[in-house]
Amino acid sequence: MADKPDKAAKAEAKRARRAASKQRRSQIFEAFKMQRREDKLLIPLMVGCVLLGGGLGFLIGLFWGLQWFTLPLGVAVGALAAVSIFGRRVQKTVYTKADGQPGAAGWALDNLRGQWRVTTSIAGTTHLDAVHRVIGLPGVVLVAEGAPHRVKSLLAQEKKRTARVVGNVPIYDIVVGNDEGQVPLSKLHVHMRKLPRNIQRKQMDSLETRLAALGSRTGTAAMPKGPMPQGAKIRSVQRTVRRR
């Protein structure tokens, strides 16, 4: 009798994995169709990678008379390069569309990979300027987005509040944008990963607990959950924010 629940659970887990895999394939296919419509070089580049990989594999194999063995290996390597190019070009397109839109920096931080603790919109204005907090091995990183003349003071205030709690832990501040001294949205992840490591992983938990006690000076509704769609009417969003 005990085996039946186990078999049922395994079957359910297997169905869930298949459904998740099918969903991922569907998402990749939709991303491919979208990118193909907007990027005329995508197909030529991907096909070129496969052909080049196959050609190199064939030529290398000729030296040892193994060209029919190295040909599929070359094609496989070319296919991997094609997939890599596809991923990079999709990412570039997504960041290009999101650049400059309210909520874009928070969305990018939510997609950070690795040991990062992200809290979006810890401070903000009704104009959809915002400061986000990230805890990681470098320490505390405050990331601001919005109009430079407004986020500068907002960022300074939040940095002062944070310094009272974290003690000697380094605090970095970043303003996302394309002006001098700012970090472009597309380079935010790279910039974060280049920051020096100053604390241990075990310190991150205590930091997160202490900083959570600070609370937030803006509701989570003050920023959209991701970049606003192009053409969205920002005034209506601002009115909604003020009402809340």
Side-chain angles (χ1 to χ4, degrees), residues 128 228 232-243:
L128 302 183
M228 288 180 63
K233 294 182 179 180
I234 192 170
R235 290 180 181 177
S236 64
V237 177
Q238 290 173 348
R239 284 196 296 269
T240 302
V241 171
R242 291 191 185 102
R243 286 198 296 267

Side-chain angles (χ1 to χ4, degrees), residues 41-208:
L41 288 176
L42 179 65
I43 298 297
L45 285 173
M46 293 181 71
V47 172
C49 283
V50 175
L51 293 177
L52 181 61
L56 288 175
F58 186 84
L59 289 175
I60 292 171
L62 279 177
F63 287 102
W64 295 280
L66 299 172
Q67 62 271 24
W68 301 114
F69 176 75
T70 54
L71 174 61
L73 291 178
V75 171
V77 171
L80 287 174
V83 170
S84 177
I85 286 175
F86 164 64
R88 288 178 180 274
R89 294 181 80 86
V90 168
Q91 185 181 51
K92 182 179 179 181
T93 298
V94 170
Y95 276 99
T96 299
K97 287 186 174 183
D99 193 19
Q101 297 182 47
W107 162 78
L109 291 172
D110 277 336
N111 288 280
L112 266 174
R113 295 180 180 178
Q115 298 290 325
W116 301 96
R117 315 284 177 84
V118 179
T119 305
T120 57
S121 300
I122 58 170
T125 69
T126 56
H127 297 280
L128 302 183
D129 311 301
V131 176
H132 315 290
R133 181 175 63 229
V134 184
I135 302 171
L137 297 179
V140 179
V141 186
L142 299 176
V143 181
E145 60 176 320
H149 64 281
R150 290 194 297 264
V151 299
K152 186 176 180 181
S153 59
L154 194 66
L155 189 58
Q157 293 169 16
E158 197 56 39
K159 192 171 183 179
K160 191 173 181 180
R161 292 178 72 223
T162 303
R164 297 194 189 105
V165 177
V166 301
N168 295 325
V169 174
I171 303 173
Y172 298 90
D173 56 87
I174 298 171
V175 178
V176 175
N178 298 306
D179 296 334
E180 186 178 353
Q182 298 179 342
V183 177
L185 181 68
S186 61
K187 298 181 179 179
L188 180 59
H189 287 192
V190 175
H191 184 86
M192 299 274 289
R193 288 195 292 266
K194 286 184 177 180
L195 294 175
R197 297 188 174 192
N198 299 304
I199 65 174
Q200 302 295 321
R201 282 191 175 89
K202 59 184 179 181
Q203 293 177 262
M204 291 170 58
D205 292 329
S206 61
L207 265 179
E208 188 174 24

